[in-house]
Amino acid sequence: RLNVAIVPNKKIELKKACFIYDFEFEKDDKIFVNGYQSWTTSREYGVKDKQLGLRNVSKPRTIIRTFAESCGDYDFTKYGGAGFFHSFTYSYVRNNNDKEMLLIGSMSEKTGYTIIYFDVKNNTITIEKDLEGLTIDSEREICDVRKFVGTYDEVFDKYFGAMNLPKLKLDHLSGYTSWYNYFQKIDEKIILRDLEGITSKAGDKINIFQIDDGFESKVGDWHELDAKKFPNGLTPVVEKIHSKGIMAGLWLAPFSAEFKSKIAKEHPEWLVRNKKGKKFNG
């Protein structure tokens, strides 16, 4: 377990903390990368693979390029060549020829994101805490990371058990979201059409139907619908979803706002700014 706290004798500003460990990678190792969020990939890589970002996708759609640049981790993490990977919060290394695997997991992200870097060429694993801009004048825990060794099920059972996570309120969710088919190009007709389509095909196999981004007039103005897309409001759509015996879901990003949104214009002081005082696009 790596548990580190700082006890300053005066006010200090933190930037980051790095802990570098030697690790002998094997040619058959698989490294799991946990993405920053839905705009970063989560998957296993071979030690000779290269971790790519969405900017490397050939001729991406405008919406993908825009979100990749502002919502991914491409501006504040390191992307390297083959055999260089990074993962957020937790990761593991496993070998097909060995039943045991190594899992590294953060016990808390309250002090900042935990980024785990794997450098196969130099045989190192680096645990980095993103602390930029954090000012402290009293004792502060900055890192609490544990490693677990065992089979796949064993290491995850130990990890989740150590965090004392509350029991999930729902056992399983399965259903539909409009985002991956239409992005922001949705309207009442599309949503109702797809509702009929998925319920006629999947029936009782689904329990949630989510309306994703595109219902609002502008990102940030969540209480104002796009009247052209949803002239009757969301109430009749939600009632139709419920009539199918399905939960209605609605996507929100409460900490995001377009510069042209009403909330950004009325509350410019709420916008994150860089060190020069300029509005931060991301």
Side-chain angles (χ1 to χ4, degrees):
R1 185 170 187 169
L2 174 66
N3 190 210
V4 180
I6 292 181
V7 185
N9 55 19
K10 62 179 180 179
K11 183 180 289 187
I12 60 174
E13 181 181 342
L14 305 179
K15 292 188 176 180
K16 67 179 179 180
C18 292
F19 307 90
I20 304 173
Y21 296 88
D22 293 328
F23 186 86
E24 195 71 30
F25 292 95
E26 298 181 12
K27 64 179 181 179
D28 294 324
D29 280 347
K30 298 294 183 182
I31 301 169
F32 175 75
V33 164
N34 186 41
Y36 168 63
Q37 32 83 306
S38 61
W39 286 100
T40 46
T41 302
S42 295
R43 53 162 285 196
E44 282 188 349
Y45 288 91
V47 293
K48 294 183 179 181
D49 292 337
K50 183 177 181 180
Q51 183 177 357
L52 300 175
L54 285 179
R55 286 176 179 170
N56 300 94
V57 177
S58 177
K59 296 181 180 180
R61 298 180 184 181
T62 302
I63 188 71
I64 292 180
R65 186 186 300 111
T66 300
F67 274 80
E69 292 176 352
S70 64
C71 298
D73 66 353
Y74 316 105
D75 291 326
F76 60 89
T77 52
K78 297 187 288 286
Y79 280 78
F84 189 85
F85 313 99
H86 69 273
S87 180
F88 282 83
T89 308
Y90 74 94
S91 185
Y92 64 71
V93 181
R94 71 172 184 86
N95 191 288
N96 288 329
N97 300 320
D98 191 346
K99 292 183 179 180
E100 282 196 338
M101 56 183 275
L102 167 70
L103 183 144
I104 302 170
S106 170
M107 303 301 292
S108 174
E109 299 293 73
K110 291 181 180 179
T111 57
Y113 287 115
T114 302
I115 311 171
I116 306 166
Y117 286 98
F118 299 90
D119 188 340
V120 176
K121 181 180 179 180
N122 294 303
N123 282 309
T124 61
I125 295 177
T126 299
I127 298 172
E128 182 177 302
K129 291 294 292 191
D130 178 16
L131 305 169
E132 185 176 0
L134 178 62
T135 300
I136 62 172
D137 56 9
S138 59
E139 182 175 350
R140 181 70 173 256
E141 182 183 86
I142 62 168
C143 186
D144 189 4
V145 176
R146 293 184 66 172
K147 75 170 186 178
F148 304 90
V149 177
T151 65
Y152 186 93
D153 289 338
E154 285 174 347
V155 294
F156 277 105
D157 286 346
K158 291 176 183 177
Y159 180 35
F160 297 146
M163 287 193 289
N164 294 314
L165 297 174
K167 185 178 179 181
L168 296 176
K169 295 180 180 179
L170 293 172
D171 292 331
H172 180 71
L173 286 177
S174 176
Y176 165 97
T177 177
S178 58
W179 178 253
Y180 297 101
N181 284 325
Y182 310 105
F183 296 112
Q184 292 177 317
K185 296 179 180 180
I186 60 172
D187 56 30
E188 180 179 310
K189 183 179 179 180
I190 288 173
I191 294 299
L192 292 178
R193 182 195 66 199
D194 282 15
L195 175 64
E196 292 299 324
I198 193 169
T199 52
S200 65
K201 297 293 184 181
D204 57 4
K205 293 181 181 179
I206 67 169
N207 51 23
I208 188 168
F209 187 97
Q210 178 176 289
I211 302 171
D212 214 290
D213 193 9
F215 64 88
E216 73 284 355
S217 58
K218 285 203 169 35
V219 172
D221 296 334
W222 306 111
H223 294 289
E224 296 189 19
L225 296 178
D226 187 320
K228 291 183 179 179
K229 294 180 178 180
F230 294 90
N232 301 307
L234 288 180
T235 299
V237 178
V238 172
E239 290 177 346
K240 187 68 174 180
I241 296 171
H242 288 167
S243 71
K244 303 286 186 179
I246 304 171
M247 290 185 292
L250 188 66
W251 177 87
L252 294 172
F255 296 107
S256 296
E258 296 179 51
F259 292 147
K260 294 182 180 180
S261 65
K262 181 182 292 186
I263 197 168
K265 292 178 180 178
E266 293 179 351
H267 295 280
E269 73 278 9
W270 289 359
L271 300 178
V272 175
R273 298 177 183 274
N274 62 23
K275 294 180 179 180
K276 295 182 180 180
K278 293 184 178 181
K279 290 182 289 189
F280 179 71
N281 181 25

